[in-house]
Amino acid sequence: MKPTPGDIYCVFYPKLQQYVACQITALKEGNLVAVLDLDWSGDALPDEAALVAMQPLVCDFFFWRGRYDHTFLSDSVPSHYTRVGNIPPLVNEEVNSYGGGWNVGSSLYQQRCWDRIDAEKRARFKTASRERQVTLPGGVLPENATKISDNFLQGITDYAELDRLPCLTSLDTTEGNARLAEYVNQHAFIYELHWSSSSVTTLDLSGSKLQRLIVDPTGLVSLSLNDNLKLLSFTRPPAAELQINSRYLGRDLTVQHRQTLAELQGLEALGGLHLTEVAEVDIAAIADHYPTLNTLRLWGKPGMVSNMASLSRLADLQMFTTVDLFGFGPEEFPAPPQLPHLSLLWMNSLPADAASAIKKAWKKAALSGVDLAIKQARKPAWLAENLNNPFRDWDGREHISAANARKAATLYKKMLASLRTIDASSEAASVTALAEAMVRSYTEAFNAMDRRSNIIETIEREEIGEVLYGLLSLIEQQTAGASEPFDKDPMMNLFDELRDF
């Protein structure tokens, strides 16, 4: 059943260990509803008296200044939210913000944490001015500066000097030390830390108020986390021996990192996992190591996924999103009964046959409230140009820029597209002419790239030749049976004559 204005929904919020509430205040075209967070929590669902006494949550934590948390969200209310009644909308205001998902309770939790901070510190935070300046060894900053990095940290012998910046909420350091970690633990407002260190092997942030920790784990053997932390992001793959200490074993935490699945010790109850730039990922391995996930996001490079059917082993899964992931068929994706708590299913850029089957299988669930979006179904031709693009591996090489990696991949797609017009019925002369034009265009593109950037070394030289050989072999395959067979050898000789690398 779709929500209607006035509806009150409740959900259990783990960090408070209580139920929290919100109200639907309006509907909007595009399957959206205006959701207002309420200033209520309870050990059980509210009775009628509690319902009529509810009031909007007024937020003034950090940079909020007496505003409501009032946001447009999808009208697909997650299945773990309970409708408890309907009262006239508590506010009538224009709503201008749009949220990415249902997360009722977060603002109430942050407001209560804010209210527990020393009143004088909160007052200084609110009254800090851009006009007043603070002089540190690394330079001058406005009093209301929120973020500092190493250039301002250098030369500071007593980190208490940073207290002169009452709005300081974010630190970014590549030279972290134990004294700085201790300062973060004592600070009431620092909620984001970018950390790298060549000297610290044991990092204890358990006393901090951090919400986001972006860390280079190189050299770390122990990492202790605070209860408030929402996101732990690794800039490099963590070592297998890294021990993470988290009171709830990562229950309320999302881990984000690139390319590979890390089997982290100490996060056996991890709540969320986000992998980016994925080349290969095994869903069975994810289910083995993180069986309690409620959120799983997998973004490919594009990438290949194996054991998609193992997704059904994640019994608590509520949100699943993918981008540019392939390698699974229409019969592998779980049916709605196998993922009973799933409330959001977004898959963007996936095999066309799987996309069609998932849409059909989940159509009824979408009508019942699952937020379903299956977009950019990819056909085999797209996969040949992108997923199987031989220059994909150039992206990420230290001496090759991202722009040149894209140029190489785009050139391959262009060459492949030009060959689709060739078949056994094509005239031999036209096939030869097209192949020669392709070789000249292909070779000159890499000549120009190398002249500008000097990126083609031995490995790249071999790869460029192998890719051209493969394209010419494709012409042979497509013209098999023609009266005059195509010969790729003269074309490879032409390539050797034309190349400057």
Side-chain angles (χ1 to χ4, degrees), residues 38 42 66 76 90 103-104 120 179 202 210 224 270 291 296 327 340 360 387 396 398 413 420 422 474 478 485:
L38 301 180
S76 297
L90 295 171
N103 191 26
V104 175
E120 182 179 346
R179 290 189 300 108
T202 299
L210 291 175
S224 297
L270 186 66
L296 178 58
K360 182 177 180 181
L387 183 62
E398 290 186 3
K413 289 193 286 186
R420 293 203 179 106
I422 298 176
L474 185 59
Q478 293 178 183

Side-chain angles (χ1 to χ4, degrees), residues 148-265:
I148 60 171
S149 53
D150 284 329
N151 56 329
F152 287 101
L153 292 172
Q154 290 175 358
I156 295 180
T157 57
D158 182 0
Y159 287 116
E161 287 190 58
L162 298 180
D163 290 346
R164 296 159 59 203
L165 298 171
C167 295
L168 183 61
T169 55
S170 178
L171 287 179
D172 189 339
T173 179
T174 59
E175 301 176 3
N177 57 63
R179 290 189 300 108
L180 183 57
E182 183 180 355
Y183 177 76
V184 172
N185 276 324
Q186 296 170 356
H187 202 286
F189 297 135
I190 295 177
Y191 59 69
E192 180 166 332
L193 175 63
H194 297 241
W195 176 276
S196 179
S197 174
S198 59
S199 61
V200 175
T201 59
T202 299
L203 180 58
D204 185 352
L205 298 167
S206 58
S208 72
K209 300 298 189 293
L210 291 175
Q211 297 179 26
R212 295 169 54 88
L213 173 61
I214 296 88
V215 62
D216 179 348
T218 304
L220 278 182
V221 296
S222 176
L223 174 61
S224 297
L225 306 176
N226 61 299
D227 295 345
N228 287 19
L229 196 67
K230 295 179 179 179
L231 175 70
L232 171 61
S233 178
F234 292 106
T235 60
R236 297 175 186 269
E241 60 268 20
L242 175 61
Q243 177 64 46
I244 299 178
N245 304 303
S246 169
R247 181 159 62 147
Y248 300 117
L249 302 178
R251 181 192 67 190
D252 304 320
L253 180 67
T254 292
V255 166
Q256 176 179 308
H257 57 103
R258 299 167 54 233
Q259 299 177 337
T260 58
L261 174 67
E263 301 170 9
L264 300 170
Q265 301 179 53

Side-chain angles (χ1 to χ4, degrees), residues 281-339:
V281 63
D282 183 354
I283 301 295
I286 292 176
D288 285 343
H289 296 290
Y290 305 113
T292 61
L293 288 178
N294 57 65
T295 301
L296 178 58
R297 302 180 186 275
L298 303 173
W299 295 359
K301 198 175 179 178
M304 301 291 286
V305 61
S306 58
N307 296 312
M308 179 63 89
S310 293
L311 199 67
S312 62
R313 292 167 50 197
L314 298 174
D316 299 324
L317 197 63
Q318 298 172 14
M319 300 175 64
F320 180 62
T321 70
T322 67
V323 177
D324 285 336
L325 272 190
F326 304 92
F328 60 98
E331 72 288 347
E332 296 181 64
F333 197 84
Q338 296 175 286
L339 295 171

Side-chain angles (χ1 to χ4, degrees), residues 114-156:
W114 173 267
D115 292 340
R116 289 195 293 268
I117 296 172
D118 178 76
E120 182 179 346
K121 291 182 178 180
R122 285 185 280 142
R124 288 188 62 219
F125 187 102
K126 295 294 187 181
T127 58
S129 169
R130 177 177 293 275
E131 306 304 321
R132 294 190 290 271
Q133 294 185 327
V134 173
T135 302
L136 296 173
V140 178
L141 288 166
E143 184 188 38
N144 68 346
T146 61
K147 181 177 181 178
I148 60 171
S149 53
D150 284 329
N151 56 329
F152 287 101
L153 292 172
Q154 290 175 358
I156 295 180

Side-chain angles (χ1 to χ4, degrees), residues 368-414:
S368 300
V370 173
D371 190 350
L372 180 67
I374 310 296
K375 300 179 180 179
Q376 292 186 304
R378 303 300 194 183
K379 295 184 178 180
W382 187 94
L383 297 179
E385 293 179 355
N386 295 274
L387 183 62
N388 302 321
N389 194 310
F391 293 114
R392 280 180 59 204
D393 289 341
W394 281 26
D395 187 11
R397 293 188 188 177
E398 290 186 3
H399 68 292
I400 299 178
S401 69
N404 280 329
R406 286 194 298 270
K407 287 179 182 178
T410 301
L411 179 64
Y412 175 77
K413 289 193 286 186
K414 180 181 177 182

Side-chain angles (χ1 to χ4, degrees), residues 11-16 18-22 37-38 40 57 59 61-62 64 69 81 101-114 211 228 230 252:
V11 65
F12 188 79
Y13 192 71
K15 286 190 175 182
L16 289 172
Q18 287 186 311
Y19 288 92
V20 295
C22 66
D37 279 28
L38 301 180
W40 176 88
L57 174 66
C59 301
F61 55 88
F62 289 106
W64 291 68
D69 188 343
Y81 280 64
W102 287 72
N103 191 26
V104 175
S106 176
S107 290
L108 179 63
Y109 176 75
Q110 291 192 70
Q111 185 63 49
R112 292 186 177 178
C113 290
W114 173 267
Q211 297 179 26
N228 287 19
K230 295 179 179 179
D252 304 320

